[in-house]
Structure formats: C-alpha cells, structure tokens
Amino acid sequence: MDPVKLHFDFRDIFRAPRLALSGKKIWTFMVGNFLGYSGYFLFTYIALFSSGISIIQSWERFGLYPLVNVFNLPWFSLLIYFAGVLCAFIMLSLSCAAVSRITYKQLKGNDFYSSADAWNYIKKHWHPVVFTLIALSLIIAFFVLMAGAFALLGKIPFIGEFLFAIPYPLYFLGALFTLYSFVVIVVASIYIPIIVGSYEEDTMGTVFQSYVITWSQPWRIIAYHLILLPIFSIATAIFYGFFQLSFEFVNSVFGWVIGDKLNHIVDAAVSIVCPPLYAYGSVAGLSGTEWLSSGILAFFFFLLMLAVIGYSLSILSVGETLMFIIFKMKSDDDNILARKDEEELEEEENEDVPLDKLQEDDSSQEDNALEESTSDSE
C-alpha cells in the first residue's frame, strides 16, 4: 500500500486521536503498562515490607496503588522502591517506542504490522531507549566535573588567576552548552522512544537527533504540543465517557433483573480498582461466592482502566511520532515515510536468497554436465 499523504504541518497533529484508536496500539500499551505496573507494585511492597510494614498493613493502607512517602523509608528500602519506579518508566518508554513503530508502519501503508512485530523490533532496539538518557546525563556530568577540575586549578597561587581569566570564554561556552543539555534531556525524554521506533537510531544517533530537534524545532515543539494536549484531553474524555456509559448500561440492565446483590458485587469490585470512590469495607459484607465474583470483576475493571490509559497514551505516542516526521521534513527535507526501513530491506534480501541459490544450482548442474561430457569424449 502507498504511504499516507501528510501535510507535514500542524494539520497532521489532528489525526492523532483517530490513528490512536487502534486495538493493537491500545493493546501494546496495556501489555507494557501492566508489566511496568506489576514491577512497580512488587518492588514497592517489598520496600514497604523491608521497612517493617507488613503486607496486610500495606494493602489496607495503599491497596492496588502504593504511593509511599519516600522520606519515611530507610535507604535500602528506598533503593528497592526506585527500582520499581525505574521498571515502570522503562516499560512505559518501550511501549511508546513499540506504538511509534506501529504508527510509522501504518503511515507507510502497512496496516498489517502487528503488536507482536513491534515488540520483536523493540527486542532488537531496546538499548537506545534505555541508555540515551544515561548518555545525556554523562555528557552533563562530564562538563560539570571539568568545571570543578578547572575551578580547583584556579586555587593555585599566582597562576590560578590567569587559569581563570584567560580561558574564561571557554568556560562560558561550556556552561552554555551544559544548560542547553539540560533542555535537551527534557525534550529527549519525550522523543527518545519516537526516534528509536520510527528512525531506527542507536544510542549515539538518538543523542544526536535529540540535540538537533531541540536546536532546530523549539517553537514547533511548543506550538504543536499546545495543539496536541487539548486534543488529547478531549479525546480521552470522550473515550472514557463511552466506557462509563457502557458500564452504567450493563449495571442498569443486570441490576434490574438481579437486584441489590449485583450492586454490592459491583461496588466491592470498584472499591478495589478505584478506592477513592468507594470504601474497602464494602467487601466485608459479601458471601464467599460474591467476594470471589467481585474479585474477578475487579480484574476486568482493571483491564478496562488500562484500556482507557492505553488509548490516552496512544494519542500522545502517535502525536509525537507525527511531530517527529514533520520535524525531519522541515529541518532536513527528509520524508522518512518514503525510505525503506530495515525490515523492508531484510524482506528484500530474503526474497533474493532463493533466486541466488537457484542460479548457483543451475551453474553447478551445468558444470557437472560439462565434466561428464568431457569425460565421455576422453
């Protein structure tokens, strides 16, 4: 199929809610968010347990969403807790890269590129998603350490004054670049998964693209987000509204037939998934089978909540992918949708292999026939 025709300007951002409304994109975020949440949940409860709080006490206080006061944790528990935060952040970034890959393929005209294909791609390219921010942080750390080293040299009697005054322009430029790098980190935290998913860059390439985007497209980054964020809010509210109406419709029909027992089961399930809305005590008055039913129902409610979150994140990921495509076209006159990506090149190579083998087989048969005819003549 032919690539999708884009305007390569702000008008393309309005496509984000429609392109994001895709089962495989939402499912990709659901899987990634569930894995990230599971890691965060596990590490957080281990951190609470290691700090002297029992699992039962932690569940009664936090439930499914443990948000702890890190200042009350000992240092070893704090390390465990931040390991969970890091796990959630990495899975969110990898999911964003996978959805960006699906969007990129869709815009190229490949509507059959699946979530499994995207995750297989991420398995090969997860390194820049994880290590680019670390590389940017090391760049800033290098300049800070160099500044500290030259500051120490400035304490040398007599010579130190000149070591500060003469290379001062270099110090100033280094400080300016360091401050600029802090801005790059903010921009890169948004676009790293997009660059990896749609532009197939490695870690150093992603670092370079982050600096280029920040330098060449600052006003477009701001202006396009002023368009995307309201669209994101409105589309998410509409999507959630349809889920809420469906929820109320099912409860009304079945509640009219079953009665108060269903309401108690539903309330108990909602109290587990959305504790601010209902008290946990509503589970206590249920029978054994009703409690089990509410637990199963809570699991499905949790998946529906992940779907709403998945769609909202999908809008952001699709919107950022469209922005990056526009940025490359504006800054480098590079339509990345028109070029062949690595998977297309691999497919072409695989298609050429049987033909090459066939030619080799034909040539070998001709050589054998020639040798046989030569031996017969002798």
Side-chain angles (χ1 to χ4, degrees), residues 47 51 73 81 90 106 119 121 171 176 200 202 204 216 230 232 238 283 290 345-346 350 354 357 360 368 378:
S51 66
L73 295 178
Y81 173 75
I90 290 175
Q106 183 182 8
W119 282 119
Y121 172 84
Y171 300 156
L176 194 63
E200 302 172 346
D202 57 11
M204 294 309 299
S216 63
F232 155 79
I238 294 174
V283 182
E290 291 173 345
L345 294 175
E346 289 176 0
N350 293 333
K357 288 185 176 180
E360 292 176 0
N368 293 334
E378 291 177 354

Side-chain angles (χ1 to χ4, degrees), residues 178-331:
T178 303
L179 293 175
Y180 172 62
S181 297
F182 277 108
V183 179
V184 171
I185 282 186
V186 176
V187 175
S189 62
I190 300 174
Y191 287 103
I192 285 173
I194 309 303
I195 295 171
V196 175
S198 60
Y199 208 61
E200 302 172 346
E201 287 282 16
D202 57 11
T203 300
M204 294 309 299
T206 306
V207 170
F208 174 76
Q209 292 295 335
S210 299
Y211 275 97
V212 170
I213 290 174
T214 307
W215 179 259
S216 63
Q217 307 294 329
W219 294 113
R220 283 195 178 94
I221 292 174
I222 296 172
Y224 287 2
H225 278 90
L226 292 177
I227 297 174
L228 178 62
L229 293 179
I231 294 174
F232 155 79
S233 302
I234 295 172
T236 301
I238 294 174
F239 189 79
Y240 174 77
F242 275 101
F243 270 48
Q244 185 68 26
L245 289 174
S246 300
F247 173 79
E248 297 293 343
F249 180 75
V250 171
N251 292 342
S252 298
V253 173
F254 282 83
W256 181 70
V257 176
I258 299 176
D260 291 337
K261 182 172 67 173
L262 180 136
N263 295 330
H264 294 320
I265 294 174
V266 172
D267 289 347
V270 173
S271 71
I272 297 174
V273 180
C274 302
L277 300 180
Y278 293 86
Y280 281 101
S282 57
V283 182
L286 300 179
S287 64
T289 55
E290 291 173 345
W291 185 90
L292 181 61
S293 298
S294 67
I296 297 173
L297 199 59
F299 173 74
F300 290 120
F301 288 167
F302 185 73
L303 293 181
L304 292 175
M305 183 178 65
L306 285 180
V308 174
I309 297 174
Y311 176 64
S312 64
L313 293 175
S314 181
I315 296 173
L316 295 176
S317 181
V318 170
E320 303 295 351
T321 303
L322 290 168
M323 288 185 201
F324 179 73
I325 294 172
I326 297 170
F327 295 161
K328 293 301 294 182
M329 191 66 177
K330 294 291 187 182
S331 61

Side-chain angles (χ1 to χ4, degrees), residues 100-119:
S100 178
R101 188 66 179 178
I102 296 173
T103 304
Y104 165 74
K105 285 289 192 176
Q106 183 182 8
L107 293 174
K108 284 176 66 69
N110 186 357
D111 291 323
F112 299 100
Y113 196 80
S114 66
S115 176
D117 294 330
W119 282 119

Side-chain angles (χ1 to χ4, degrees), residues 107-167:
L107 293 174
K108 284 176 66 69
N110 186 357
D111 291 323
F112 299 100
Y113 196 80
S114 66
S115 176
D117 294 330
W119 282 119
N120 289 332
Y121 172 84
I122 295 303
K123 288 178 183 178
K124 299 178 183 178
H125 298 270
W126 64 270
H127 307 84
V129 179
V130 176
F131 293 117
T132 299
L133 281 180
I134 297 176
L136 289 169
S137 301
L138 290 176
I139 291 174
I140 294 176
F142 170 77
F143 279 93
V144 172
L145 290 176
M146 289 296 294
F150 281 107
L152 290 176
L153 293 177
K155 297 182 67 175
I156 300 175
F158 303 108
I159 302 176
E161 292 83 348
F162 295 100
L163 290 178
F164 172 74
I166 295 175

Side-chain angles (χ1 to χ4, degrees), residues 5-185:
K5 294 182 179 180
L6 299 178
H7 300 287
F8 295 103
D9 58 30
F10 70 93
R11 290 174 290 181
D12 295 325
I13 307 301
F14 292 93
R15 298 172 181 255
R18 180 175 60 82
L19 292 174
L21 191 59
S22 165
K24 54 189 172 185
K25 295 188 183 80
I26 296 174
W27 174 252
T28 300
F29 267 120
M30 287 179 66
V31 172
N33 288 337
F34 181 78
L35 293 176
Y37 161 81
S38 299
Y40 172 81
F41 181 88
L42 179 63
F43 278 106
T44 302
Y45 268 84
I46 293 175
L48 291 170
F49 182 77
S50 66
S51 66
I53 304 175
S54 68
I55 301 298
I56 296 177
Q57 290 175 330
S58 298
W59 175 259
E60 291 177 348
R61 183 176 178 182
F62 301 108
L64 287 175
Y65 314 107
L67 297 174
V68 301
N69 185 358
V70 296
F71 297 103
N72 294 332
L73 295 178
W75 67 268
F76 52 87
S77 300
L78 193 62
L79 291 178
I80 298 173
Y81 173 75
F82 279 113
V85 174
L86 181 62
C87 177
F89 177 76
I90 290 175
M91 286 308 306
L92 178 62
S93 299
L94 294 176
S95 302
C96 186
V99 171
S100 178
R101 188 66 179 178
I102 296 173
T103 304
Y104 165 74
K105 285 289 192 176
Q106 183 182 8
L107 293 174
K108 284 176 66 69
N110 186 357
D111 291 323
F112 299 100
Y113 196 80
S114 66
S115 176
D117 294 330
W119 282 119
N120 289 332
Y121 172 84
I122 295 303
K123 288 178 183 178
K124 299 178 183 178
H125 298 270
W126 64 270
H127 307 84
V129 179
V130 176
F131 293 117
T132 299
L133 281 180
I134 297 176
L136 289 169
S137 301
L138 290 176
I139 291 174
I140 294 176
F142 170 77
F143 279 93
V144 172
L145 290 176
M146 289 296 294
F150 281 107
L152 290 176
L153 293 177
K155 297 182 67 175
I156 300 175
F158 303 108
I159 302 176
E161 292 83 348
F162 295 100
L163 290 178
F164 172 74
I166 295 175
Y168 185 82
L170 296 178
Y171 300 156
F172 180 81
L173 292 176
L176 194 63
F177 181 79
T178 303
L179 293 175
Y180 172 62
S181 297
F182 277 108
V183 179
V184 171
I185 282 186

